[in-house]
Amino acid sequence: MVHIEEAVEAHGGTHPTRPSFVPYVVAMLVLLLAVDFLVSRLGANFLWRERTIYLVSYVARMLAFIFATQFLYERAFRGDSRIALVVNGWLGLVTGAILAVGRFGAAPAVWTFLNLIVEPLDSLVYAVLITWLISKFKKVSTITNTI
């Protein structure tokens, strides 16, 4: 067990600070909502069907989430996969809920009503799965780099 004095000495005589997730969460939320908005506008300009816009938006948000999490993982979570799973899980749930409410408000239909339940859960699952995979990849690459 590490004592407070040892932790302070390990950090150069300063108290270790917890990472702040607010900038990360705000940036990711804005990124994911902007990607969805841009894909929706693009689909409307090219006269795509609603379902096609939804599926392309889903894939685009997933890719944006993968790239952003991959590049910001160490900086935001300092390698702590448990915190990353919780923060990104909540981020996926909130993003999915905001998008589902927006879709239902824009076009109240049966599928958008059911989407109020499905999209937040889908977003939660892919956020946790992607974060888990990235944390496993980061641990494996860290181990192989130290050998």
Side-chain angles (χ1 to χ4, degrees):
M1 190 158 143
V2 177
H3 295 286
I4 298 288
E5 295 81 22
E6 292 172 9
V8 170
E9 286 178 24
H11 288 278
T14 61
H15 287 285
T17 59
R18 294 178 135 181
S20 175
F21 303 116
V22 174
Y24 172 80
V25 169
V26 169
M28 288 291 284
L29 190 62
V30 168
L31 173 72
L32 296 174
L33 294 175
V35 165
D36 184 78
F37 178 76
L38 292 173
V39 169
S40 298
R41 292 298 101 211
L42 181 71
N45 288 342
F46 289 117
L47 303 175
W48 294 348
R49 295 181 188 165
E50 283 184 43
R51 195 68 182 153
T52 304
I53 292 172
Y54 174 75
L55 292 174
V56 172
S57 166
Y58 191 80
V59 170
R61 282 186 294 123
M62 196 178 321
L63 291 174
F65 190 85
I66 289 170
F67 289 123
T69 303
Q70 175 71 21
F71 290 118
L72 298 174
Y73 182 81
E74 287 298 323
R75 183 178 192 127
F77 305 114
R78 297 184 184 165
D80 193 347
S81 61
R82 295 173 300 162
I83 294 174
L85 286 169
V86 171
V87 170
N88 281 341
W90 275 105
L91 182 66
L93 189 70
V94 168
T95 303
I98 291 170
L99 292 173
V101 168
R103 284 193 178 94
F104 183 71
V110 174
W111 80 269
T112 56
F113 178 73
L114 295 174
N115 200 34
L116 290 172
I117 298 169
V118 174
E119 188 156 4
L121 296 178
D122 278 352
S123 297
L124 168 71
V125 168
Y126 86 69
V128 168
L129 182 65
I130 288 169
T131 304
W132 181 75
L133 288 172
I134 287 173
S135 70
K136 292 300 177 192
F137 175 74
K138 291 287 187 181
K139 284 183 184 175
V140 168
S141 67
T142 303
I143 291 171
T144 56
N145 288 339
T146 58
I147 294 178

